[in-house]
Structure formats: structure tokens, C-alpha cells
Amino acid sequence: MLDLFPIVVLLPLLGFLHNGLLKDKIPHRFAGAIGTLAVFIPFLITLGAFNEFNPIERTAPHLVPVFDWIVIGNFKSSFGYQIDQLSLYMTLIITGIGSLIHLYSMGYMKGNKGYNRFFAYLNLFIFCMLNLVLSDNLVLTFLGWEGVGLASYLLIGFDFDKASAAEAGMKAFILNRIGDVGFILGTGFLFWLGGSLQYLTLQTNLNGLGIFSEYANLIALFFFIAAMGKSAQIPLYVWLPDAMAGPTPVSALIHAATMVTAGVFLIVRLNFVFYLAPDTSFFIACIGASTALFAATIGLLQNDIKKILAYSTVSQLGFMFLAMGSMSYVAGLFHLMTHAFFKALLFLGAGSVIHALHHEQNIKHMGKLFGKIKVTSITFLLGTLAIAGFFPFSGFFSKDLILEKTYSYGAFGSVLWTVGVVAAFFTSFYMFRLVFVVFFGKDNTDSHHKIHESPWTMTFPLVILAIGAVFVGFLQTPHFFLHIDSLEQYFAPVLRSGLELATENGTLVKHMELTHDVEFTLAMFSLGVASVGLIIAYWVYQKKQSQVLEEHTGFRKILFHKYYIDELYDLIFVKPYVYASKLIAYTIDTKILDRFFIGIGGSFGVIANGLRRLQSGFIGDYALYVVLGTFCILVYLLTRGV
């Protein structure tokens, strides 16, 4: 089963080629079924590989070479896959959540003229993401890294006839290219020091290499810049809310299981670099905490149901990077998984609401939907309880673990923990604001439209994801899953090399040992904060039923306009770039360079016209030239005294 693992990557590629090349020749149902099976079958294969690999007892990764790709002198990069605890974990999430999103899309995209093209793009996205997480070297990882960037551009701009969608796709593409510079620089440094780009070889070559620790912080910073772009951290987060221009299943796929998790995965895969980079790690923790709080405050007053969830994703990614920066990689990966379930559930639930209201996305035009679309309402409520961190839902376990690890992290752990707790409070408030306004508040829906529940292809994935959002948090409970103490033991083989390097170099940051009483107090405090957020949201938007149509003034206006960050970027970066481009195009290029080179061409034309007259074709003219030439020669000779 393990040696056949490349089939997991190949099937989505075949689905992409089939639906892409035959998009005008096959019926929609067939294209949707092919696209969905191209992801669901790899999920089943991965489950089989998971059982065969036995990740609890096995410590060495299983390598599956496919073919040599680039061979230049001593440099060789191959198409090869590394099957270990981390890659299996990520593959199960990508294919499991991805197959549910594909099934949901069959109902959501019904009747869309680009139906087959849409499924081709979805399969391309999965293919690229699988290459990213399964590759055994940085070059193939970068291919997948760029591939998901391309696929996101195609999916965000799927409705390319709309200017907003086309611009959003371009915005995502450009901002991710900024992060890619960091990936390339980090890769160059690792090859220079380690002499290879294969992960296992790098770990061996860098072990005991004293000079590596001197560059570790710089290399880690380069790769974190790459992660900032893909995983939407300050200051490169602005593309992710605009990605809502794509169809709702695209939002669920990007935000839950694929692209935005790439940055988190990259840091864990390169843990042998980041363990040796405590300064960069602290910087990552600060950026993560700032992003979590910053995005949560923006989500407080947004009215587009998808934009609220988008800023929620940015905030939750901030929690994951808070874990990465505090070197709590397992906590970050755990939250990555729980977030995949409840965020996919929330986005698909939002899509079901939009579908029921005939593509209405403004929550000001919704209300009292709970009794009209019960499956969507109940599952969305479960997802909200999970993201808000209520016990016993999955978000409680993963977010509480991050906050606990942050609290015990170094001298500034308590400060970062405080920022995280405040962000958690805002998360609870804006999510329950959304629930009360949309499902329980005043009915502001258009009475001309009949509200109806979505078809089973859309509600079935909601039910499965809701079950996951409720129960997957127990995977971290001791002895609950596969007879292991925790996910710490599960991921231990992946993190062992980094821990050993950090221990040898004296850069390992140890967390404070917390007593059970302190852990319980922290957990209860987090639960209390979430409860306060729910109560305030209930009081403001349900009990008093405050108008969502209120006019925003003062700081509320700043929050509503997202701190004017997009306008600031437009003023600082976009407008000067456009002005410089116009200056070069219409002044320097047209009026200076063009005139200069046209002048050179014109001067040769004048010279050519003059010389052309010497070739008149009349014998008398040529006789005159001979006489003049002879006269000139004689004058020259006489003046020389000959």
C-alpha cells in the first residue's frame, strides 16, 4: 500500500485532466462524480496506508521515489514522496475534508455554466496541495507551493467576468509572490549549508554543523516570510478576505484544509531549523498573537457572512502561529485539524444559507432562519460552539492547549497568553453575533423568495463535519486514540531531529511545568471568556435586538472599514507603483526614449537620402565626380610638397 502511495497524488491530477480537457463534452453529474471520487479514493488509500504504516511504532519515514526530476552536476532533485506521521496527518485532512467539499459542490454549483471547469480546478488544487505535504524535498514542496497559488488564483477568479473576482484573484497571486521570495532565499541558504534539499539528508548534514546555528534565525525568518503569505499573517493577510469573491466551496477549501495551512505545515516540516531559531520563533509568536487579535476585532462589525468567517480564519491562523512561535508544534497541528472541521462546516453552512436566500450574503438581510433550514442551522450552531471554544467541542481542546503552552513559554508567555485570551473573547462575540442575527434575530429576509433547505449533497457534508467539529478534540485526550498518551507521542518521530539539534546547541526553549490546578484554572478562564462573549452577543443582538443597520462612527467606523489597511496599502504601494508605471510609459518611454531612438533612425534616414543622390545614374554626374576627386588628390599632394 505504501509503495502505491503516488496513486493518491495521481488521481486528483487525472481528475483535473479529465474534467478540464473534456469540460464541454461530458454531463455535469459525471464531471462532479469524477472530481469527487478523485479525492475520496485517495482518502481511502491514505486510511489504508495509515494502518499499514503504524505511525505509533514506526519512527523512520517511508520514502517512495518516483523519478529523477532535475540533475545538474552534483545537484539532484527527484519526484519522491516521504510518508511519515506528519504527511499522513496532513493528507488525511486534505483528502477527507476535500472530498466532503467536492460532494457539497455538486449541489452548490448545480446549473452553473462553468461546472466542469470548477471541478477541474478543485482537483488541481488538491493535486498541488498533496505534492506540497508529501514531497521529500524542498524543490517538490515549492512546486506544490506555487501550484496551490496558481489554483487559488483560478478559483478565486472563477467568475472572471466580474471585475471584483478577477481583481481578488490577482491580489492573492501577487501577495503570495512576495512571500515566495522568502521561500527561495531560505532554500538557497539551506542548500549552501547542507548540500542537499532532501529533508532527511538535510537533517543528517546539518547535525553537528556549528555554522548552521549561526544562520538558523535568518533562514527561519525567510521561511516564515513565505508562511506569512500563504497563511495570511500580518502584513500579508489582506488577500484572504478578498478571496471570498470565489464560490463558497472555494472559500471552504482554501480556509479549512489546503492553502492557508501550508505555512503551518512548512514550519513543522522544517522544525530542525526553527528549533535552533529562538529569536525568530519569538517573533513568530508575536506576529501570531497580533494577527489573532487584530483580525478578531475586524470581524466584530462586518456584515458579509463570508467576510466574517474570512477574518475568523485569519484570526485562527494567528493562534496556530502563536503555537508555532512558542515551539508548541503539536498544539498548532492539533488546532489545524480541529479548525479544518469547524471552519469547513461554517463556510459550507454559510453557503447553504446563501443558497437558501438566493445568493444573499449580507446578514442585515437575514433573520429567523432557524426553523426554516434546520439542518443548516443546527450544524452551523455546533460549528460556532466549536470555534468559540466551548466544552466539549473540538475548539475547546485545541485552543486551550495553545493558550496553555503559550502561558508557559518564556518570560513573555503571560503577555502573549493575555492577547490570545482577548482574541478568544472577540471570537466568541462576533460568531454568536452572526448566529443571533442570521438564525434568531429579526426577520429581514426578502419575502418574495421561498426559503428552502439545501439538497442532501450539501447537508450530508454539513452533518459529517459537525460530528467532527464536536468529537475530534478528544483525539488529544490521553489514551482515547490508538492507545497513545497524546498527539505529542504521535508526532515525536517527526520532531525528534529538531529537538536533538536544539538540545546539542543549547537553543531549546523549555516550557514551565504547570500544575494540574493551574492548567484547570487556565481552561476554566478560557471557557469563562467564551461564555462572556456569548452572553454579551445574546444581550445586544437577541435580547435587545439592536439594529445591525446602525451607522458606524468613531472607532466603530475604523473597525467597519478594517482599519483602512487596504486603503493604506493602496496609498503606499499601489498608487506610487501605478504613478511610476505611467511616468515610465508615457513620459520617459514615449517622450524621451522613443524620441531619442526615433531621432537616431531619422538621422540615418537623412544621411541615406543624401548618399542616395550621389547614385543618380547619369554619366555626366559620374564624370564630374572623377574630376572633383582628381582635383582633391592633386591639392593634397601639392600641399604636402610632393
Side-chain angles (χ1 to χ4, degrees):
M1 181 71 75
L2 291 175
D3 289 328
L4 297 177
F5 212 73
I7 296 176
V8 170
V9 182
L10 182 62
L11 285 176
L13 176 61
L14 293 177
F16 159 68
L17 294 174
H18 178 273
N19 288 337
L21 295 175
L22 302 177
K23 62 183 180 65
D24 297 325
K25 300 179 180 179
I26 55 176
H28 287 179
R29 285 181 176 271
F30 188 60
I34 290 293
T36 304
L37 289 173
V39 182
F40 182 64
I41 293 174
F43 171 69
L44 297 178
I45 295 174
T46 306
L47 280 177
F50 184 88
N51 294 327
E52 181 180 334
F53 185 75
N54 195 351
I56 305 307
E57 299 177 0
R58 188 163 184 164
T59 58
H62 181 79
L63 299 179
V64 183
V66 181
F67 61 87
D68 290 337
W69 180 22
I70 303 173
V71 180
I72 304 174
N74 295 327
F75 175 79
K76 184 175 75 170
S77 180
S78 62
F79 248 87
Y81 300 113
Q82 178 174 320
I83 304 173
D84 59 11
Q85 289 79 358
L86 177 60
S87 59
L88 281 172
Y89 181 83
M90 292 297 297
T91 303
L92 282 172
I93 294 172
I94 294 165
T95 55
I97 304 293
S99 58
L100 290 173
I101 294 172
H102 276 68
L103 177 61
Y104 178 95
S105 300
M106 293 178 67
Y108 188 86
M109 296 299 292
K110 185 178 180 180
N112 191 296
K113 62 181 180 181
Y115 187 97
N116 294 359
R117 175 168 58 91
F118 182 78
F119 274 91
Y121 290 166
L122 286 184
N123 280 176
L124 176 64
F125 207 133
I126 297 294
F127 165 72
C128 295
M129 191 66 192
L130 289 175
N131 271 297
L132 193 160
V133 300
L134 286 168
S135 63
D136 67 353
N137 64 84
L138 273 165
V139 179
L140 185 55
T141 297
F142 188 65
L143 177 67
W145 188 271
E146 292 300 291
V148 294
L150 170 63
S152 67
Y153 167 75
L154 296 172
L155 286 167
I156 295 170
F158 178 76
D159 297 316
F160 53 82
D161 53 337
K162 298 179 182 177
S164 59
E167 291 171 0
M170 185 60 69
K171 186 175 183 179
F173 192 80
I174 292 173
L175 282 168
N176 275 276
R177 299 295 73 70
I178 296 173
D180 292 347
V181 174
F183 196 113
I184 294 170
L185 291 173
T187 300
F189 267 95
L190 280 182
F191 181 71
W192 172 54
L193 292 171
S196 175
L197 292 178
Q198 190 179 46
Y199 295 118
L200 295 181
T201 305
L202 274 173
Q203 292 175 23
T204 302
N205 293 350
L206 295 174
N207 189 17
L209 186 65
I211 193 175
F212 174 54
S213 59
E214 299 177 12
Y215 288 95
N217 276 294
L218 180 61
I219 296 171
L221 179 61
F222 285 143
F223 281 112
F224 176 56
I225 291 172
M228 279 182 179
K230 276 290 183 290
S231 297
Q233 297 297 285
I234 293 174
L236 301 179
Y237 73 93
V238 291
W239 69 269
L240 192 56
D242 285 4
M244 300 302 97
T248 302
V250 173
S251 305
L253 191 62
I254 291 177
H255 287 242
T258 55
M259 185 169 172
V260 297
T261 65
V264 178
F265 164 82
L266 182 67
I267 291 177
V268 180
R269 177 56 81 198
L270 295 174
N271 67 86
F272 56 90
V273 175
F274 285 86
Y275 268 125
L276 296 179
D279 296 336
T280 297
S281 293
F282 178 70
F283 175 68
I284 293 172
C286 293
I287 291 293
S290 301
T291 303
L293 178 59
F294 181 79
T297 59
I298 295 178
L300 294 174
L301 297 176
Q302 299 305 303
N303 292 324
D304 186 312
I305 188 171
K306 291 173 66 176
K307 285 285 183 73
I308 296 171
L309 297 178
Y311 282 105
S312 169
T313 298
V314 177
S315 181
Q316 295 304 308
L317 287 167
F319 277 101
M320 294 179 209
F321 279 95
L322 178 58
M324 295 295 109
S326 60
M327 295 187 181
S328 305
Y329 301 122
V330 174
L333 287 172
F334 183 37
H335 196 58
L336 183 153
M337 177 183 63
T338 61
H339 178 263
F341 277 95
F342 60 67
K343 186 49 62 68
L345 170 60
L346 290 170
F347 264 113
L348 296 185
S352 185
V353 170
I354 294 169
H355 182 268
L357 297 179
H358 303 274
H359 303 288
E360 177 61 63
Q361 294 185 202
N362 194 329
I363 64 173
K364 296 187 295 184
H365 302 151
M366 302 178 187
K368 286 196 179 299
L369 296 179
F370 191 84
K372 301 174 183 177
I373 45 174
K374 286 191 176 180
V375 175
T376 299
S377 302
I378 293 172
T379 54
F380 196 96
L381 178 59
L382 293 174
T384 301
L385 290 167
I387 193 175
F390 281 90
F391 181 85
F393 300 91
S394 59
F396 168 81
F397 293 97
S398 59
K399 187 165 62 177
D400 180 67
L401 182 61
I402 291 175
L403 292 174
E404 176 189 315
K405 294 293 185 182
T406 301
Y407 185 83
S408 64
Y409 171 65
F412 296 94
S414 58
V415 177
L416 295 172
W417 174 84
T418 302
V419 175
V421 168
V422 175
F425 163 74
F426 285 136
T427 300
S428 178
F429 177 80
Y430 68 68
M431 285 305 305
F432 281 104
R433 167 186 179 254
L434 174 60
V435 167
F436 290 132
V437 170
V438 173
F439 297 103
F440 300 101
K442 182 180 178 182
D443 188 353
N444 293 312
T445 58
D446 189 342
S447 59
H448 296 292
H449 295 307
K450 183 179 179 181
I451 299 174
H452 56 86
E453 184 61 274
S454 301
W456 76 269
T457 52
M458 296 173 62
T459 55
F460 178 74
L462 293 179
V463 173
I464 299 300
L465 289 169
I467 293 172
V470 173
F471 293 110
V472 294
F474 289 102
L475 297 183
Q476 177 64 9
T477 305
H479 303 290
F480 186 84
F481 178 57
L482 294 179
H483 306 290
I484 61 174
D485 290 336
S486 66
L487 287 177
E488 297 277 354
Q489 181 182 345
Y490 173 80
F491 285 113
V494 177
L495 302 174
R496 181 174 294 119
S497 60
L499 284 168
E500 292 174 352
L501 281 171
T503 302
E504 291 175 4
N505 286 272
T507 58
L508 181 63
V509 177
K510 295 184 178 180
H511 293 77
M512 293 187 300
E513 291 290 337
L514 301 179
T515 64
H516 292 301
D517 291 339
V518 173
E519 291 178 352
F520 181 78
T521 301
L522 292 175
M524 291 301 100
F525 190 84
S526 298
L527 186 59
V529 164
S531 300
V532 171
L534 186 157
I535 293 169
I536 296 176
Y538 172 78
W539 178 261
V540 174
Y541 293 100
Q542 182 64 26
K543 186 75 173 178
K544 295 177 65 177
Q545 292 205 355
S546 296
Q547 293 293 323
V548 190
L549 295 167
E550 71 272 17
E551 185 175 346
H552 301 299
T553 58
F555 188 66
R556 291 174 64 87
K557 184 177 180 180
I558 295 175
L559 285 181
F560 182 73
H561 289 282
K562 301 159 286 188
Y563 294 99
Y564 294 97
I565 297 298
D566 284 285
E567 291 81 358
L568 182 64
Y569 282 8
D570 186 65
L571 179 65
I572 297 176
F573 300 109
V574 178
K575 287 184 177 178
Y577 182 82
V578 172
Y579 175 79
S581 299
K582 289 181 178 180
L583 177 66
I584 294 172
Y586 299 121
T587 302
I588 298 176
D589 191 22
T590 303
K591 296 182 179 180
I592 298 177
L593 294 178
D594 283 359
R595 289 182 180 180
F596 174 73
F597 287 108
I598 290 173
I600 292 176
S603 64
F604 279 105
V606 172
I607 296 172
N609 284 332
L611 294 175
R612 185 176 60 189
R613 294 179 181 180
L614 297 177
Q615 300 293 330
S616 64
F618 294 105
I619 296 177
D621 291 343
Y622 297 147
L624 178 62
Y625 301 154
V626 172
V627 172
L628 291 174
T630 303
F631 177 77
C632 292
I633 292 172
L634 289 174
V635 171
Y636 173 75
L637 293 175
L638 289 173
T639 56
R640 292 289 301 274
V642 179

